[in-house]
Amino acid sequence: MIAKNMQDLVNNSSTIRAMFEEGKRLKKLYGEDKVFDFSLGNPNVQAPKQVEDAISELIKEYPSPILHGYMNNSGYEFVREKIADHINQKQGTDLAAENIVMTVGAAGGLNVICKTLLDPGDEVVVFRPYFGEYRAYVSNVGGKLIEVSSNSDTFYPDLEDLEKKISSKTKMLIINTPNNPTGVVYPEDFIIDLCSLLEAKQKEYQRQIYLISDEPYRELVYDGLFVPYLTKYYKNTIVAYSYSKSLSLPGERIGYLVIPKEVEDAGEVCAGINVATRILGFVNAPSLMQLVVAKCLNAKVNIEFYEKNRNKLYEGLRDIGFECIKPQGAFYLFMKSPMENEVDFCELAKKHNILMVAGSSFSSPGYVRLAYCTSYETICNALPAFKALAKECGVGK
């Protein structure tokens, strides 16, 4: 029999993945073009051509043992140096190779950070709504997740509630902007106020409080919005980045952590991250993909594709009568459920071959998440089904 803790995890497994599997089942029954799957953030945009070119070049440049071999747990030094230089050019920071650790995606990086920083009983603050896997990352090492509410109109976190929730046990706060599931980008004035509050709480409790910035969607921003780089606002900031979305490489599992020298005990934190990378079984980030991203630091996916999808879906749903805010980044739309129980609404939507994720998966019941990183045709074809769903729910009368 599997461990009791794992039994609980299996029983409460990701509804996002469950919906994704349901989508595959329905497509076999009704056909690809008759099922409208908005469940999983699986990019439909092709990776930039530079990625394919880089793979071809690397196979010719490196002999096989080097191309696929081990390296320092932090990753290839020259790759980390290139990434540090790239961030410095874009953000005006002062990073070096030793401030970068290559990771198995942002998720791997977050697990490594939790393993490195958290003792059993330490508290980790998150803002509702949030990516549900944070619960597992924190509980894996005996930490406790503390939820802070957000404004229902803007989905900006409530700093008054945050001030009440930070305690002598708080070790970490995870922030995700652009946000999954809302698509909200937190503005600079909010970031300044947040960091000022964290500084005050560090002094009050004489304890480091680390700000962990989870940034897989940093490059996916619309309308020219500015996304603050948090290491410039708060010294104890660690950034978790992934190329899954920015280069459409979700299955390749490649990303990095930024641990600036300003972080208290930065050397010790980096040493801990290296050990955590090893003992969690990652050992090192994928060797080939480290070399690939080093060649593709200036490559970009077609952001106009996502923007076109966003506009079509948002305007279409609003015209039908559904309530939602316009996403500012990422590729998710968070829609208010017209039914009291959003899980029931998701089940009803399946009858129209529409697959969405219940907001309770993000600790925000009453809403549903739609991932619009699908084809434009899927969105166009889905709108009549949404109209039929709305009629059944009494929306737009």
Side-chain angles (χ1 to χ4, degrees):
M1 180 180 289
I2 64 175
K4 183 179 184 305
N5 180 53
M6 185 53 65
Q7 288 177 0
D8 293 339
L9 289 171
V10 170
N11 292 335
N12 296 287
S13 185
S14 171
T15 57
I16 301 172
R17 287 285 173 174
M19 278 292 186
F20 178 63
E21 294 301 324
E22 177 70 357
K24 292 197 293 185
R25 185 186 73 83
L26 291 175
K27 286 172 185 176
K28 286 182 181 179
L29 288 175
Y30 302 108
E32 291 273 345
D33 61 333
K34 302 293 192 302
V35 177
F36 316 114
D37 188 355
F38 298 98
S39 62
L40 188 64
N42 195 20
N44 188 264
V45 175
Q46 285 189 333
K49 187 177 182 299
Q50 293 99 309
V51 171
E52 291 184 9
D53 292 343
I55 293 172
S56 299
E57 292 167 7
L58 287 164
I59 290 172
K60 296 173 184 175
E61 287 177 19
Y62 289 89
S64 183
I66 295 176
L67 189 62
H68 305 296
Y70 286 133
M71 78 296 296
N72 184 287
N73 295 129
S74 288
Y76 291 114
E77 185 171 3
F78 80 92
V79 171
R80 292 184 283 129
E81 186 175 349
K82 284 189 173 184
I83 289 173
D85 289 343
H86 180 70
I87 298 171
N88 291 340
Q89 290 170 17
K90 290 185 68 176
Q91 305 298 342
T93 47
D94 183 25
L95 302 172
E98 58 264 29
N99 303 121
I100 308 293
V101 176
M102 304 304 296
T103 63
V104 183
L110 290 171
N111 275 282
V112 163
I113 279 295
C114 287
K115 183 70 173 175
T116 302
L117 296 181
L118 298 179
D119 287 311
D122 279 344
E123 294 177 352
V124 177
V125 176
V126 292
F127 299 137
R128 290 199 308 261
Y130 59 88
F131 181 51
E133 302 283 32
Y134 292 164
R135 300 186 196 106
Y137 302 165
V138 172
S139 66
N140 279 346
V141 292
K144 182 180 179 182
L145 208 66
I146 304 295
E147 299 179 351
V148 169
S149 60
S150 294
N151 183 294
S152 59
D153 294 325
T154 64
F155 290 110
Y156 294 163
D158 183 340
L159 291 182
E160 289 185 5
D161 190 35
L162 172 62
E163 186 169 14
K164 296 173 185 174
K165 298 289 179 62
I166 293 178
S167 75
S168 60
K169 295 182 179 180
T170 303
K171 188 70 175 287
M172 182 189 300
L173 184 151
I174 301 176
I175 187 171
N176 173 222
T177 175
N179 180 260
N180 173 15
T182 65
V184 165
V185 175
Y186 301 145
E188 186 177 30
D189 57 353
F190 168 80
I191 296 299
I192 290 171
D193 290 343
L194 167 66
C195 294
S196 177
L197 174 57
L198 291 179
E199 291 283 7
K201 289 296 181 179
Q202 282 195 139
K203 292 177 182 177
E204 178 181 348
Y205 293 116
Q206 292 296 296
R207 172 184 172 93
Q208 292 107 324
I209 299 175
Y210 294 93
L211 180 59
I212 310 301
S213 186
D214 181 22
E215 301 190 355
Y217 305 98
R218 164 167 284 279
E219 319 302 333
L220 305 185
V221 181
Y222 314 113
D223 306 320
L225 279 182
F226 168 64
V227 183
Y229 201 73
L230 270 65
T231 66
K232 299 164 70 174
Y233 297 81
Y234 183 72
K235 288 184 178 180
N236 280 330
T237 297
I238 296 173
V239 175
Y241 184 84
S242 168
Y243 292 97
S244 292
K245 277 63 178 183
S246 61
L247 291 181
S248 285
L249 298 173
E252 302 298 348
R253 312 310 305 140
I254 185 68
Y256 60 78
L257 292 172
V258 178
I259 309 96
K261 61 179 180 295
E262 291 82 7
V263 168
E264 218 162 327
D265 302 320
E268 186 179 19
V269 171
C270 286
I273 286 171
N274 274 308
V275 173
T277 296
R278 192 164 63 247
I279 65 176
L280 286 173
F282 299 125
V283 182
N284 54 255
S287 58
L288 174 59
M289 295 315 299
Q290 288 188 51
L291 299 171
V292 168
V293 298
K295 283 180 172 282
C296 300
L297 293 176
N298 292 309
K300 298 178 181 178
V301 295
N302 183 7
I303 186 72
E304 289 80 13
F305 175 95
Y306 292 130
E307 190 166 14
K308 183 180 178 183
N309 281 5
R310 174 196 68 156
N311 294 340
K312 183 68 175 179
L313 183 62
Y314 171 74
E315 291 164 7
L317 292 175
R318 294 279 292 184
D319 288 345
I320 290 168
F322 289 111
E323 294 182 42
C324 50
I325 64 169
K326 193 172 187 178
Q328 299 168 310
F331 42 54
Y332 305 108
L333 184 145
F334 213 46
M335 184 172 78
K336 191 171 179 58
S337 170
M339 298 172 63
E340 184 175 355
N341 187 329
E342 90 282 2
V343 176
D344 292 340
F345 179 55
C346 288
E347 284 300 310
L348 183 61
K350 283 164 61 176
K351 295 180 182 178
H352 297 268
N353 287 347
I354 299 171
L355 298 172
M356 306 177 288
V357 180
S360 48
S361 297
F362 308 95
S363 198
S364 289
Y367 294 86
V368 295
R369 190 195 77 171
L370 291 87
Y372 55 84
C373 50
T374 183
S375 71
Y376 184 73
E377 291 72 25
T378 294
I379 294 172
C380 294
N381 294 336
L383 289 176
F386 274 112
K387 192 168 185 178
L389 173 63
K391 185 177 180 180
E392 192 168 353
C393 295
V395 172
K397 287 185 177 179

